[in-house]
Amino acid sequence: MNATTKTTTQIRVTRRSAAYWRITFDNPPLNVMGPQFVREMRDIVTAVEADKNVKVIVFDSAVEGFFLNHSDFLADFKELTDMPQGPTGLEAWPDLLVRITRMPVASIALIRGRATGNGSEISLACDMSFASREKARLSQWEVGVGLVAGGGPMARLPGLMGRQRALEVLLSSDDIDADLAAAYGYVNRSLPDAQLDGFVDALANRIASFDKWAIANTKRLVNAASLPPDVEIAAGWEACMASVTRPAAQDRIKAFFEQGFHRPGDAEDHIGSYLPRLG
């Protein structure tokens, strides 16, 4: 079967075959996540859940330097918070992340560029993640601007890397390169950038050749043994929403905007090094 592509506003879906789909984030220049992104992701996740043939999905990016970035702070925040809860009973964004983790399909994050906040959370929701040694940077940056992360990293990271390393990632709010991310268990592997696409494509095609029932039930049993309960994901979202309107957070975000946040340039490229300057 020839690859077919469906184009939406910020996300592209390419069906490499009936069993293997690529989901490409394409919201230049910074690949930020706003309400439109969430609406498109909701449609895509619903389509994956309903399709009987798809066995593996790969998330990647078409935007140079960014896998998926932080939230869109220029968007209408109420558009996101007013979205109806999803099938899990969680709010729109954490609902999507939990559904990605639970869908009867193998999910892989191919991380080239910055995976900050929401991008990190997508990676953590996936079944596997592989990062470009030269170009990937991961971070949960929220504490650095006085926020609490809303997509569940407090619930997911300790199980992957242990409590102390999870707190290092979360409380430092610093950029983590691919080699350290792999050493900590933040991603599966760090690979030379020139090898990343070939490795992920070969793995996805290999999994796509297997029986879907076996994939889905193996994943279901691993999930039962390893996933945090939804109540922990919900608690993180509630703390995130409470943190957004705090004067201390608003002051730090304003200071960050004054230093170049939310527009192409050094502040977005090196978020981790800018955050200590905001105090």
Side-chain angles (χ1 to χ4, degrees):
M1 178 183 290
N2 293 330
T4 59
T5 302
K6 176 184 177 183
T7 302
T8 55
T9 304
Q10 298 181 2
I11 310 172
R12 291 189 280 111
V13 179
T14 302
R15 291 165 174 81
R16 296 284 182 93
S17 70
Y20 169 21
W21 296 10
R22 280 280 182 127
I23 300 170
T24 302
F25 308 137
D26 191 6
N27 184 27
L30 299 175
N31 249 3
V32 293
M33 187 220 80
Q36 179 62 27
F37 180 95
V38 174
R39 285 190 287 267
E40 292 180 22
M41 274 293 291
R42 185 169 52 193
D43 291 343
I44 291 165
V45 168
T46 299
V48 172
E49 291 170 333
D51 194 284
K52 295 180 179 179
N53 296 310
V54 62
K55 303 174 189 178
V56 57
I57 58 174
V58 173
F59 294 100
D60 65 5
S61 170
V63 178
E64 180 69 26
F66 298 93
F67 169 68
L68 179 65
N69 209 348
H70 52 71
S71 295
D72 186 351
F73 284 80
L74 301 177
D76 184 352
F77 185 66
K78 201 167 184 299
E79 273 193 67
L80 180 62
T81 57
D82 282 353
M83 288 183 188
Q85 294 175 336
T88 65
L90 296 167
E91 300 302 322
W93 177 242
D95 169 77
L96 286 172
L97 297 173
V98 168
R99 289 164 68 190
I100 289 168
T101 304
R102 289 182 181 163
M103 62 175 54
V105 171
S107 55
I108 301 172
L110 186 163
I111 305 172
R112 174 178 284 115
R114 176 169 286 283
T116 299
N118 302 106
S120 169
E121 291 165 359
I122 281 269
S123 172
L124 293 171
C126 285
D127 302 322
M128 293 165 252
S129 54
F130 302 94
S132 164
R133 181 165 296 153
E134 297 90 342
K135 297 183 179 181
R137 293 291 181 273
L138 293 90
S139 78
Q140 293 292 163
W141 71 299
E142 290 85 356
V143 169
V145 287
L147 301 176
V148 174
M154 293 81 70
R156 295 185 190 274
L157 280 171
L160 290 174
M161 61 178 69
R163 176 179 180 272
Q164 292 181 331
R165 284 176 171 172
L167 285 170
E168 178 189 346
V169 169
L170 291 162
L171 298 185
S172 74
S173 296
D174 208 353
D175 297 335
I176 309 294
D177 67 30
D179 285 341
L180 182 59
Y184 273 20
Y186 203 160
V187 300
N188 285 62
R189 302 192 200 185
S190 164
L191 293 159
D193 189 70
Q195 298 176 20
L196 180 63
D197 292 293
F199 176 89
V200 171
D201 206 43
L203 176 61
N205 279 307
R206 179 182 175 88
I207 295 171
S209 74
F210 298 152
D211 177 68
K212 182 165 183 175
W213 186 94
I215 294 168
N217 279 281
T218 298
K219 178 172 172 176
R220 175 178 62 83
L221 293 166
V222 170
N223 284 351
S226 62
L227 289 185
D230 287 358
V231 65
E232 295 183 16
I233 305 291
W237 179 258
E238 291 167 7
C240 176
M241 294 301 98
S243 71
V244 169
T245 57
R246 294 174 60 248
Q250 291 295 314
D251 288 346
R252 294 182 76 89
I253 292 168
K254 179 182 178 182
F256 204 3
F257 267 102
E258 292 170 354
Q259 295 193 29
F261 175 60
H262 226 295
R263 58 181 183 267
D266 195 62
E268 280 287 349
D269 293 340
H270 302 95
I271 284 177
S273 65
Y274 273 74
L275 295 177
R277 312 177 193 181
L278 305 181

